[in-house]
Amino acid sequence: MRFDIITCQPELLVSPFAHSIVKRAQEKGLADIHLHDLRQFAINKHGQIDDYAFGGGAGMVLRPEPIAACIDGLRAEREYDAIIYLTPDGPTFRQAAANRLSLLRNVILLCGHYKGVDERIREEYVTDEISVGDFVLSGGELGAAVVVDAVVRLLPGVLGNEESALSDSFQDNLLAPPVYTRPAEWRGREVPAILMSGNTPKVEDWQHEQALQRTQQRRPDLLADMPQEAFEEPRKPRRRKKPNA
């Protein structure tokens, strides 16, 4: 999957993509991430990419010409499945959106800055808008890093165990259940015996009950759209089928 990120501060994105899972995905050739410095498309020799807003008000607005030049150049080389603008007034980014984006091939992420981009860019080019939360950042770069990280880990072959992403929080509108590792007893706190029983069906029942309980306590809003049977039956195990002998 290819990501082309348009930004006026590419340095902010170097570190997030140079470590951990995203780095390994690039090394494996599963993710291709390109940063495009908007200032390379400035309208004059002074590197201007922004201007004052018509109608007054504080803050600068990214001009349409540099953004259009960058997008037009990219689209001349390949087709894009989505052109996404990172903006606080977009729909909140959720796991379902990450799942959908992971099925695409080529995506442009446009990072806003200052007071945002000229509205005509949104009308002319943008196919999707994303907000990473109800707060304002200095620019869309950190939001773009969040989107790329959430999507890349879903790509086949990126995680050592592909089933790991399927059991994450939010994949089925439930938070993940508590997890434990060694030692079995630490500072007087013991790992629940069921997890060490080796009884897989019972463990899965326990995990479902704990996930449901944790979601009801911490994020009851996630349960609003869940079918009633989800409250009555344990989650189906997501283990990969074994090949025939």
Side-chain angles (χ1 to χ4, degrees):
M1 183 174 181
R2 178 181 173 115
F3 298 88
D4 286 281
I5 304 176
I6 302 174
T7 168
C8 60
Q9 293 188 316
E11 299 84 359
L12 285 175
L13 290 168
V14 173
S15 180
F17 301 148
H19 302 278
S20 191
I21 292 173
V22 177
K23 177 185 178 182
R24 294 197 296 271
Q26 294 177 86
E27 292 173 343
K28 292 180 179 180
L30 302 174
D32 197 11
I33 303 173
H34 298 266
L35 305 179
H36 303 276
D37 188 348
L38 197 57
R39 296 190 185 279
Q40 294 182 353
F41 302 87
I43 64 172
N44 54 38
K45 63 180 181 181
H46 303 295
Q48 184 181 1
I49 58 173
D50 60 349
D51 216 324
Y52 295 102
F54 283 120
M60 306 292 281
V61 179
L62 291 176
R63 292 179 61 123
E65 304 99 321
I67 299 173
C70 185
I71 294 177
D72 288 343
L74 290 171
R75 295 206 301 187
E77 299 175 357
R78 67 191 59 82
E79 293 185 2
Y80 285 89
D81 302 303
I83 300 177
I84 302 170
Y85 176 46
L86 283 302
T87 172
D89 60 3
T92 302
F93 187 54
R94 299 188 184 280
Q95 189 63 43
N99 294 344
R100 177 176 62 84
L101 292 177
S102 72
L103 302 177
L104 305 183
R105 184 173 180 84
N106 298 314
V107 171
I108 291 175
L109 296 175
L110 172 60
C111 301
H113 202 63
Y114 310 121
K115 297 298 285 186
V117 305
D118 187 291
E119 184 68 17
R120 291 166 290 187
I121 287 293
R122 299 170 80 164
E123 297 170 350
E124 179 76 15
Y125 293 104
V126 173
T127 63
D128 299 89
E129 298 184 347
I130 286 177
S131 167
V132 294
D134 295 337
F135 48 86
V136 177
L137 298 171
S138 299
E141 288 77 15
L142 298 181
V146 167
V147 171
V148 170
D149 188 282
V151 173
V152 164
R153 67 192 313 278
L154 297 173
L155 301 178
V158 169
L159 298 182
N161 182 346
E162 293 183 10
E163 297 175 9
S164 178
L166 297 178
S167 61
D168 286 341
S169 293
F170 308 114
Q171 282 290 8
D172 49 8
N173 275 32
L174 292 177
L175 300 180
V179 293
Y180 300 85
T181 186
R182 293 177 176 81
E185 187 277 332
W186 178 75
R187 296 187 179 180
R189 299 176 185 269
E190 296 182 353
V191 174
I194 185 64
L195 296 180
M196 298 183 289
S197 68
N199 189 327
T200 300
K202 292 291 186 181
V203 169
E204 289 173 349
D205 287 348
W206 181 89
Q207 290 173 331
H208 176 72
E209 293 170 1
Q210 291 294 313
L212 183 59
Q213 182 181 51
R214 177 163 288 191
T215 306
Q216 289 173 327
Q217 293 174 343
R218 303 185 182 188
R219 290 293 305 277
D221 56 294
L222 295 175
L223 303 177
D225 298 325
M226 288 184 63
Q228 183 60 36
E229 55 266 25
F231 296 88
E232 302 169 352
E233 300 176 2
R235 288 180 291 183
K236 302 296 182 183
R238 299 168 179 165
R239 296 186 300 277
R240 187 181 299 142
K241 292 182 179 180
K242 295 181 178 179
N244 294 329

